[in-house]
Short mmCIF file of all heavy atoms in Angstrom, two decimals:
data_model
loop_
_atom_site.label_atom_id
_atom_site.label_comp_id
_atom_site.label_asym_id
_atom_site.label_seq_id
_atom_site.Cartn_x
_atom_site.Cartn_y
_atom_site.Cartn_z
N SER B 296 91.07 82.00 103.16
CA SER B 296 90.70 82.80 104.33
C SER B 296 89.19 83.01 104.31
O SER B 296 88.62 83.19 103.23
CB SER B 296 91.44 84.14 104.26
OG SER B 296 90.91 85.08 105.16
N SER B 304 75.46 87.27 113.81
CA SER B 304 75.93 87.69 112.47
C SER B 304 76.74 88.98 112.47
O SER B 304 76.72 89.73 111.50
CB SER B 304 74.74 87.86 111.50
OG SER B 304 74.08 86.67 111.31
N LEU B 309 88.82 87.51 110.69
CA LEU B 309 89.05 86.62 109.55
C LEU B 309 90.01 85.54 110.01
O LEU B 309 90.88 85.80 110.86
CB LEU B 309 89.70 87.38 108.38
CG LEU B 309 89.03 88.65 107.86
CD1 LEU B 309 89.88 89.28 106.76
CD2 LEU B 309 87.63 88.35 107.34
N GLU B 314 97.29 81.57 109.12
CA GLU B 314 97.30 81.87 110.55
C GLU B 314 97.26 80.58 111.38
O GLU B 314 97.92 80.48 112.41
CB GLU B 314 96.09 82.73 110.92
CG GLU B 314 96.34 84.20 110.72
CD GLU B 314 95.08 84.97 110.42
OE1 GLU B 314 93.98 84.37 110.36
OE2 GLU B 314 95.18 86.18 110.24
N THR B 319 100.24 76.75 114.84
CA THR B 319 100.36 75.35 115.27
C THR B 319 101.62 74.67 114.76
O THR B 319 101.89 73.54 115.10
CB THR B 319 99.15 74.53 114.77
OG1 THR B 319 99.08 74.67 113.34
CG2 THR B 319 97.85 75.00 115.38
N ASP B 326 101.55 70.74 115.30
CA ASP B 326 101.30 70.17 116.62
C ASP B 326 99.80 69.91 116.81
O ASP B 326 99.04 70.87 117.00
CB ASP B 326 101.83 71.15 117.67
CG ASP B 326 101.64 70.62 119.08
OD1 ASP B 326 101.00 69.55 119.24
OD2 ASP B 326 102.11 71.28 120.01
N THR B 340 92.61 87.21 112.72
CA THR B 340 93.00 88.62 112.62
C THR B 340 91.76 89.49 112.78
O THR B 340 90.68 89.12 112.32
CB THR B 340 93.69 88.93 111.29
OG1 THR B 340 93.99 90.35 111.26
CG2 THR B 340 92.82 88.64 110.09
N LEU B 375 76.50 91.07 105.74
CA LEU B 375 75.57 90.81 104.63
C LEU B 375 76.20 89.89 103.59
O LEU B 375 75.51 89.15 102.90
CB LEU B 375 75.16 92.13 103.95
CG LEU B 375 74.38 93.12 104.81
CD1 LEU B 375 74.17 94.43 104.05
CD2 LEU B 375 73.04 92.53 105.23
#
Side-chain angles (χ1 to χ4, degrees):
Chain B
S296 166
S304 297
L309 306 177
E314 274 152 0
T319 56
D326 181 354
T340 178
L375 296 174

